Amino acid sequence: MPDRTAVRPAEPQVDLKASVAAAVEAARSEILDLSHRIHANPEPAFEEHQAATWVAEVLRDHGYHVEHPAGSLATAIRATRRGERGEGPRIGILAEYDALPGLGHGCGHNTMAASGVGAAIALAAVAGELPGEIVFLGTPAEERGSGKQIMIDDGLFDGIDAALLYHPCDRNHVESHPLASEDADIVFTGLQAHAASDPWKGRNALDAMILLFSSVGLWRQQLRPTSRVHGIIKEGGTAANIIPDRATAWFMLRSDDQAYYEEMKARFTAMCEGAALATGTTVEVTYSGGATTMRNNQVLAERFRANMAAYGIDDMGDDPFAGSTDMANVSWVCPTIHPELAICDEGVPGHSILFRDAAATPRADETTLLAATLVAQTAVELFTDPALVEAAWAEFRAG
Ligand SMILES: [Zn+2]
């Protein structure tokens, strides 16, 4: 390990951390304006065209070299800015900006987009003092489709030494253990017939779907409490007097245990096939892929926690009721954390109208600015302390 004191004296880092905090404050209205614009214009996964364009614009204004689109996703962004102190780590600042269909920003990703941009603005302001490269990654489709896995496959995470972000919550906590999660698209295909004059000529795709929901409902009794399976019917026929020849559903399967998840997936596929067999229909099951559990990097978590503490914020401990995130996929590629900060009182459920409305309040605004500062300060520590980056990678490699 390199000698830290030989690499840098301690004092300048303290100054840089104060500088990024001041830079966030100076960009206050720009950051919050972005948060509110995105909140007022919710766009679902893969369709975040306006949000991505706004994010890219601000980054360009702050001297970033912006690729948008980046890789195969039209709404992905990679924006880079080299520090002026020579070679060093490449620190990733991530931001999501997708909303939930029919609900809007019920997960508060507008605050995450704005805080990620805020951190990037702050780091650009001290780029003259940093080695290495700031890499902002705008990551679409967190709510559905694992956009980050697609960006990983596109090579956009190659060479990144650490991945940082902030997610809004009703509590303050640094670590979380999200469930491995995957989307499953189900299509049952049958045969149309008149529902009164000759129904015996039909094969009922909706019946197959109802059997599948019944099977899943009974299965839940035997599932481990840390697993989830839930879905909606998207198409269930077109008229009551036609035997439906097509029924489609969107399911999600989740577990905190990778091996158990694979068992669940095999069982779910068998249930789909069983429902088809029982109704004389055929079934197609398409999985989104990329379900993984999360590895919280302790070296990064400790730094973020210390930066929080400097603002008087305690880590309330791991959230026992985690959902899922494609940040888990990133955690298998490089050292990663997924800290969450409160934008509302404890107990407000995520993915709800209450949480959506909380994401545009003055309290959420203050959290957004603080998150930008904490992410930027954690990045500053990584940029200026090679031993820290090395320790994060050593932990990563040790598994
Ligand atoms: Zn979210």
Side-chain angles (χ1 to χ4, degrees), residues 96 98 100 106-109 112 142-143 167-168 324-325 338 340 351 355:
E96 300 162 9
D98 59 333
L100 291 152
C107 205
H109 291 179
M112 190 203 276
E142 188 277 332
E143 297 292 357
H167 193 288
S324 303
T325 170
H338 190 272
E340 306 198 351
H351 291 197
F355 199 83

Side-chain angles (χ1 to χ4, degrees), residues 169-179 226 256 294-296 298 301 305 308 314-323 338-340 346:
C169 190
D170 65 331
R171 306 161 75 248
N172 300 310
H173 63 106
V174 178
E175 291 178 59
S176 55
H177 291 88
L179 309 175
T226 47
D256 67 339
M294 170 108 184
R295 305 166 73 195
N296 295 278
Q298 297 303 313
R305 196 174 286 122
M308 272 167 62
D314 291 332
D315 184 351
M316 296 165 77
D318 198 355
D319 187 348
F321 304 111
H338 190 272
E340 306 198 351
E346 192 169 355

Side-chain angles (χ1 to χ4, degrees), residues 3-147:
D3 175 1
R4 289 184 188 202
T5 53
V7 174
R8 52 133 193 105
E11 278 314 300
Q13 186 188 324
V14 173
D15 290 341
L16 283 182
K17 283 170 70 172
S19 299
V20 293
V24 167
E25 193 50 43
R28 182 186 182 91
S29 58
E30 198 175 9
I31 295 166
L32 297 182
D33 173 60
L34 182 64
S35 178
H36 288 265
R37 267 190 288 161
I38 294 174
H39 189 270
N41 292 277
E43 299 163 300
F46 300 111
E47 296 171 29
E48 314 93 327
H49 297 284
Q50 186 62 76
T53 300
W54 285 332
V55 166
E57 272 168 10
V58 178
L59 293 167
R60 251 182 228 113
D61 289 347
H62 286 270
Y64 278 83
H65 169 72
V66 178
E67 295 163 71
H68 170 230
S72 60
L73 294 179
T75 54
I77 298 168
R78 176 165 65 180
T80 54
R81 175 148 178 180
R82 292 206 68 85
E84 290 159 33
R85 291 291 177 101
E87 290 304 308
R90 301 178 77 227
I91 306 302
I93 309 296
L94 275 59
E96 300 162 9
Y97 27 73
D98 59 333
L100 291 152
L103 177 57
H105 275 289
C107 205
H109 291 179
N110 60 298
T111 70
M112 190 203 276
S115 74
V117 169
I121 290 173
L123 291 167
V126 299
E129 304 301 321
L130 300 178
E133 189 172 38
I134 311 157
V135 183
F136 176 95
L137 292 163
T139 61
E142 188 277 332
E143 297 292 357
R144 179 180 73 81
S146 294

